[in-house]
Amino acid sequence: MKIKSIETLRVAIPVDADGPRGAATGAWDRVESLVVRVETAGGLVGWGEAFGHKVNPGTEAILHTMVGPWFLGKDAALAEALADQAQRAFHSFGRGGPVMYALSGIDIALWDIMAKRAGKPLFRLLSATDGELRCYASLLPYGGDRDAIARNSRKALDAGHGMIKLHETALPAFMAAREALPAEIPVALDVNCPWTVNEARAIARAIKGRGFEWLEEPVWPPENFTGLADVRREGVAIAGGENIGSLDEFRRAFDAKALDVAQPSVAKIGGVTGMRRAAALAAEYKLRVVPHCFYWGPGYLATAHIAASLPNRPMVETLFAAFAAKPHALWEPEKGSLVLPETPGLGFEPDLAVLERFMVSRHAVRAN
Ligand SMILES: [Mg+2]
């Protein structure tokens, strides 16, 4: 099970979010994945994904210059032990951020390999009984355009998504989705850390009792856990955790009573190993876990396998936009549900022609 090669494939697929375009609205016209491919000397291949988007050139460089070479020749069956050793080896280069993203990508690939070797889909290796999941639609930002928000909220509802999440920051935008949807469909608000504590408290008071599932990352900076706890005391559920880089930081957030919903992110917190540990910690604090998942590649599937293994079976966050091409058979944002296959591992079988067509860059490191 010696690791023979580690390859990165940085892929950017054009998307149509059916809304206003351009930087002013924050709209996205393509979505990247930094796919990690690990191969063992015996020929087993594992797929992973490292965060992400604009920092991909940095994560990619770390993978092929520093983190990737460290893993060459090591035993792919030892993901958890290697996670601990690697974090110690690289701790002085960042306890969160691209070093952890790189480690996350490799860890996911190692779990894929371990599940393949065990002959089981990852969700069964994680003791889940089935791989059927609901999804929720994570809308791209529409810069407050109420028509686009309402239209896409209804489209996601028609597709069968169990919840709609917005990336908007103003009450009229929030209400555009709320008013477009039946009351029983939850609407979550992801605002990405814009406000002071007092501003966020005012927003919390304004949305309280109006049918919103949670308010995600309302405060700048995201690690202001006492500030988040202050906002939470207004009586609105607070979600966060995608920007938390370590287990100890999660513990500080939980101790500060900052969160109702913990959102570790598989391609940032240390892969499957990191997610399992974060979820176990959240369980100690009796907190709900709903993973962050702004991914379409192996990170998406890893999140789904982990979600299947969690007691609350959270819906899988699914980036809601029309892709120019389908990167793999299990990427169906237009569906609102996901059935993980019984094939061993993650079940990530990329359409290599699609990856090739939208490839930004590709690197490999190999054992001598
Ligand atoms: Mg978020």
Side-chain angles (χ1 to χ4, degrees), residues 136 138 165-167 189-192 214 216-217 239-243 263 292-294 317:
Y136 80 79
S138 197
K165 187 165 92 176
L166 305 181
H167 290 93
L189 306 172
D190 186 356
V191 296
N192 295 112
W214 71 59
E216 181 173 331
E217 293 199 309
E242 70 187 83
N243 285 305
Q263 300 174 299
H292 165 265
C293 183
F294 215 63
E317 180 174 15

Side-chain angles (χ1 to χ4, degrees), residues 137-294:
S138 197
L139 269 51
L140 287 165
Y142 292 107
D145 185 312
R146 286 174 49 90
D147 288 342
I149 293 164
R151 182 171 66 250
N152 285 287
S153 295
R154 280 192 296 265
K155 265 203 305 203
L157 172 70
D158 292 344
H161 284 279
M163 182 173 87
I164 313 297
K165 187 165 92 176
L166 305 181
H167 290 93
E168 306 290 337
T169 52
L171 188 59
F174 303 159
M175 294 311 294
R178 190 59 285 168
E179 288 160 7
L181 296 166
E184 67 272 18
I185 297 297
V187 175
L189 306 172
D190 186 356
V191 296
N192 295 112
C193 318
W195 298 313
T196 66
V197 172
N198 281 338
E199 287 166 346
R201 288 178 61 189
I203 295 280
R205 287 193 292 272
I207 64 171
K208 189 178 171 182
R210 297 179 96 156
F212 294 105
E213 184 72 4
W214 71 59
L215 181 60
E216 181 173 331
E217 293 199 309
V219 166
W220 177 259
E223 66 275 20
N224 181 358
F225 300 135
T226 54
L228 283 171
D230 288 343
V231 180
R232 189 170 166 251
R233 275 192 285 274
E234 297 290 347
V236 168
I238 300 296
E242 70 187 83
N243 285 305
I244 289 179
S246 71
L247 217 56
D248 281 279
E249 204 180 343
F250 263 113
R251 190 182 288 283
R252 278 194 289 281
F254 297 162
D255 282 338
K257 297 186 166 39
L259 301 175
D260 295 277
V261 182
Q263 300 174 299
S265 188
V266 73
K268 302 174 85 175
I269 190 66
V272 177
T273 298
M275 287 291 279
R276 293 177 83 213
R277 291 174 180 177
L281 185 67
E284 277 179 36
Y285 286 80
K286 300 190 171 26
L287 288 174
R288 182 178 165 199
V289 176
V290 182
H292 165 265
C293 183
F294 215 63

